[in-house]
């Protein structure tokens, strides 16, 4: 496992080198400028559209349902565990680069939503299909179908080996184990390592629960996520706000550490974290992992929305990045920085955020751990559901709509969930970063080529509603 982790880490450093970071930020900056900083000017309208469904639109689920499906995939362990790993690896400055990735990523996510509706199609069974593979093929032309296939392949890999399974179930079982068996009293030997019985039981229960939902397809996933996503997001935000209010005097210093650490990490970390490049790499990578802007996943769900206006759905899609990173990841990052939990030795992943909650909340440590465990279970569970839908759509595109292949894939997906708890935290997150980066490349190319379509649709829409 350690040898595999070293290999994956080397690949990760290549994939998430400066070329990809610059590409992601450049696309976001370009779209932000061409759209006239739309993510600020039209954010109030976007938040209004988020909760007000369009009447008479074509699609399978409401705009809010499509957003919740997308949020179910984005609001997950990245908001709790991903932020912790970013800050521990890159210092507090990593949070600043998460903000930068999110701000420009809002324009990227908007463009993805516009193109998803513009180029979506309907199959012979009446299912609405869309996403990067369709706007690459239909928008860029048939000769670019290889790029669409490449995106779909990496999309299946991200769902099966990355965001959809390993990171989520690993985060859930770690949180359950940390709460119920922190002293490792109930251990069992599996695969040459010792694991808590609570890890084994939690993994089995989650696999069964996921199986019961994903069999129902997009409508059942949307129905479940419309209930769970708002509840879990509000619950987590409330407890983060309690922590921040009770420690409000430390907030200004936390912001100073974040901004200073973004450009001079050694001044904040005392030399523990290397350079600005590391802070930027970890911040952008975890930011993309969390909000998925530029990754190309969210437009797969957005395409199913009941709407006739691509721009309207683009605005709704944009709110996903705002909620995920600007709101939730910021709260997590500030709790970790102001409590100093990122500097505690011997902690990684969810244990860092748990330590922050235990330090900052006015409850017994067991209560703080329980709160975080429940939030993480819901966050990760819905992400597993959302990414099953995404990766199934990718596989359908790859196989020409072969339903048998999709049925077999669901069992493989459930098997990956079973395996996830027994992998190390660092290996899981390094694998996730690699496939995220590979999936982003084809989508970013498409967004660059089709940016003119996005600009044209945007101008026509706002001219019409005036």
């Amino acid at each position: 496992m350690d040898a595999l982790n070293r290999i994956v880490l080397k690949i990760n450093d290549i994939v998430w080198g400066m070329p990809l970071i610059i590409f992601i930020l450049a696309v976001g900056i370009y779209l932000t400028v061409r759209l006239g900083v739309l993510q600020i000017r039209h954010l109030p309208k976007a938040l209004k559209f988020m909760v007000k469904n369009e009447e008479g639109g074509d699609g399978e689920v409401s705009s809010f349902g499509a957003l919740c499906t997308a949020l179910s995939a984005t609001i997950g362990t990245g908001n709790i565990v991903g932020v912790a790993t970013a800050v521990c690896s890159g210092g507090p400055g990593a949070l600043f680069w998460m903000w930068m990735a999110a701000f420009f990523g809002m324009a990227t996510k908007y463009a993805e939503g516009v193109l998803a509706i513009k180029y979506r199609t309907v199959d012979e069974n009446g299912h609405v299909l869309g996403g990067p593979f369709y706007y690459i093929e239909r928008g860029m032309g048939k000769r670019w179908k290889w790029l669409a296939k490449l995106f779909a392949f990496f999309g299946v890999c991200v769902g099966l080996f990355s965001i959809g399974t390993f990171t989520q179930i690993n985060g859930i079982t770690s949180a359950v184990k940390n709460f119920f068996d922190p002293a490792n009293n109930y251990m069992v030997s599996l695969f040459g390592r010792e694991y808590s019985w609570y890890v084994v039981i939690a993994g089995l229960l989650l696999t069964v629960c996921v199986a019961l939902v994903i069999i129902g397809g997009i409508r059942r996933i949307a129905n479940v996520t419309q209930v769970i996503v708002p509840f879990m997001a509000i619950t987590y935000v409330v407890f983060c706000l309690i922590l921040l209010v009770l420690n409000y005097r430390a907030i200004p210093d936390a912001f100073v550490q974040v901004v200073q650490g973004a450009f001079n990490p050694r001044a904040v970390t005392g030399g523990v974290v290397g350079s600005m490049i590391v802070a930027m790499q970890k911040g952008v990578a975890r930011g993309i992992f969390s909000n998925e802007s530029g990754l190309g996943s969210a437009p797969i769900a957005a395409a199913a929305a009941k709407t006739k206006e691509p721009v309207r759905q683009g605005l709704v899609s944009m709110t996903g990045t705002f909620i995920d990173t600007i709101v939730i990841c910021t709260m997590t990052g500030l709790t970790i920085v102001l409590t100093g939990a990122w500097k505690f030795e011997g902690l990684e992943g969810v244990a860092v955020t748990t330590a922050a909650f235990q330090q900052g909340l006015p409850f017994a440590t067991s209560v703080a751990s329980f709160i975080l465990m429940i939030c993480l279970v819901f966050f990760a569970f819905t992400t597993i559901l959302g990414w099953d839908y995404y990766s199934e759509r990718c596989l359908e595109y790859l196989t020409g709509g072969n339903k048998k292949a999709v049925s077999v894939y669901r069992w493989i997906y459930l098997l990956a969930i079973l395996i996830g708890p027994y992998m190390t935290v660092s290996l899981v997150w390094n694998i996730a970063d690699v496939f995220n980066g590979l999936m982003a490349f084809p989508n970013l190319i498409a967004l660059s080529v089709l940016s003119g379509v996005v600009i044209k649709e945007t101008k026509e829409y706002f001219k019409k509603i005036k």
Side-chain angles (χ1 to χ4, degrees):
M1 195 74 75
D2 292 336
L4 178 60
N5 189 33
R6 285 193 294 271
I7 294 170
V8 174
L9 186 58
K10 288 181 180 178
I11 298 172
N12 184 25
D13 288 338
I14 295 171
V15 172
W16 278 99
M18 287 308 295
L20 178 57
I21 292 174
I22 292 171
F23 194 14
I24 290 172
L25 293 177
V27 171
I29 292 170
Y30 175 73
L31 288 169
T32 296
V33 173
R34 289 293 307 274
L35 294 167
V37 199
L38 174 138
Q39 60 264 60
I40 293 179
R41 293 189 300 115
H42 294 294
L43 182 60
K45 188 183 274 84
L47 294 171
K48 176 185 174 182
F49 288 161
M50 180 181 75
V51 294
K52 185 180 179 182
N53 292 321
E54 183 180 345
E55 296 181 4
D58 301 319
E60 292 192 73
V61 297
S62 67
S63 289
F64 184 67
L67 175 66
C68 284
T69 301
L71 281 175
S72 72
T74 55
I75 299 179
T77 56
N79 301 83
I80 298 177
V81 186
V83 176
T85 58
V87 174
C88 289
S89 301
L95 183 58
F96 176 87
W97 294 110
M98 288 186 79
W99 293 338
M100 290 298 99
F103 176 73
F104 295 117
M106 288 175 70
T108 306
K109 186 70 75 72
Y110 166 80
E112 290 176 336
V114 171
L115 295 173
I117 301 298
K118 173 76 174 175
Y119 293 108
R120 67 182 177 179
T121 186
V122 180
D123 68 11
E124 64 275 9
N125 298 316
H127 294 301
V128 179
L129 305 174
F133 21 79
Y134 288 102
Y135 57 68
I136 289 172
E137 180 183 338
R138 304 183 72 193
M140 294 172 63
K142 292 285 187 181
R143 71 180 187 277
W144 288 95
K145 192 169 182 177
W146 66 270
L147 189 66
K149 293 276 189 182
L150 189 64
F151 171 86
F153 171 74
F154 288 136
V156 173
C157 292
V158 169
L160 198 57
F161 305 117
S162 177
I163 300 179
T165 54
F166 291 164
T167 54
Q168 308 306 325
I169 192 67
N170 193 276
I172 290 175
T173 53
S174 294
V176 170
K177 182 262 176 191
N178 288 343
F179 179 75
F180 288 105
D181 189 20
N184 298 324
N185 293 322
Y186 306 97
M187 305 298 287
V188 61
S189 181
L190 291 171
F191 313 115
R193 288 174 176 258
E194 294 291 317
Y195 298 95
S196 170
W197 269 109
Y198 286 97
V199 168
V200 178
I201 294 170
L204 290 172
L205 287 176
L206 258 296
T207 304
V208 172
C209 290
V210 169
L212 293 175
V213 177
I214 65 174
I215 292 171
I218 179 61
R219 287 189 176 89
R220 185 178 295 179
I221 291 172
N223 289 337
V224 171
T225 56
Q226 282 184 91
V227 175
I228 295 179
V229 168
F231 164 75
M232 71 180 183
I234 291 170
T235 300
Y236 185 71
V237 166
V238 165
F239 282 106
C240 283
L241 282 174
I242 292 173
L243 190 154
L244 294 173
V245 168
L246 292 175
N247 298 272
Y248 70 94
R249 289 189 178 89
I251 293 178
D253 181 61
F255 274 105
V256 170
Q257 290 186 60
V258 169
V259 176
Q260 188 176 9
F263 302 98
N264 187 14
R266 292 180 183 275
V268 177
T269 64
V272 176
V273 172
S275 65
M276 171 182 161
I277 300 299
V278 176
M280 184 186 293
Q281 182 190 42
K282 296 301 179 183
V284 174
R286 293 292 184 263
I288 296 301
F289 177 94
S290 181
N291 61 54
E292 299 176 13
S293 296
L295 204 60
S297 52
I300 300 174
K306 292 179 180 178
T307 181
K308 294 178 288 186
E309 295 288 354
V311 170
R312 194 182 194 280
Q313 187 57 39
L315 290 171
V316 173
S317 296
M318 183 179 78
T319 63
T321 298
F322 177 79
I323 294 169
D324 177 271
T325 307
I326 303 299
V327 177
I328 298 178
C329 284
T330 296
M331 290 185 170
T332 302
L334 288 177
T335 62
I336 292 170
V337 174
L338 67 83
T339 59
W342 65 280
K343 294 184 285 189
F344 295 169
E345 292 185 11
L347 299 183
E348 64 175 354
V350 69
V352 177
T353 315
T354 300
F357 270 50
Q358 291 173 338
Q359 289 283 321
L361 288 173
F363 313 124
T365 56
S366 58
V367 175
S369 297
F370 181 77
I371 292 168
L372 190 64
M373 179 192 70
I374 293 298
C375 289
L376 186 59
V377 167
F378 280 122
F379 275 35
F381 176 66
T382 55
T383 299
I384 292 171
L385 300 181
W387 265 98
D388 171 72
Y389 175 71
Y390 288 164
S391 52
E392 282 187 20
R393 297 291 78 76
C394 290
L395 185 63
E396 279 189 2
Y397 183 82
L398 276 176
T399 61
N402 189 319
K403 300 298 181 183
K404 186 175 181 180
V406 173
S407 297
V408 172
Y409 174 80
R410 284 179 181 168
W411 288 104
I412 299 173
Y413 192 84
L414 293 172
L415 179 62
I417 296 172
L418 275 175
I419 295 171
Y422 311 108
M423 301 175 70
T424 64
V425 173
S426 58
L427 176 60
V428 160
W429 285 88
N430 285 327
I431 290 174
D433 282 345
V434 168
F435 282 119
N436 286 356
L438 293 174
M439 184 178 177
F441 268 111
N443 184 54
L444 291 169
I445 292 170
L447 292 177
S448 302
V449 173
L450 298 174
S451 59
V453 177
V454 177
I455 308 303
K456 181 174 180 289
E457 289 285 332
T458 303
K459 288 180 177 177
E460 289 179 356
Y461 175 78
F462 287 111
K463 183 179 179 181
K464 181 171 64 176
I465 65 172
K466 282 182 180 180

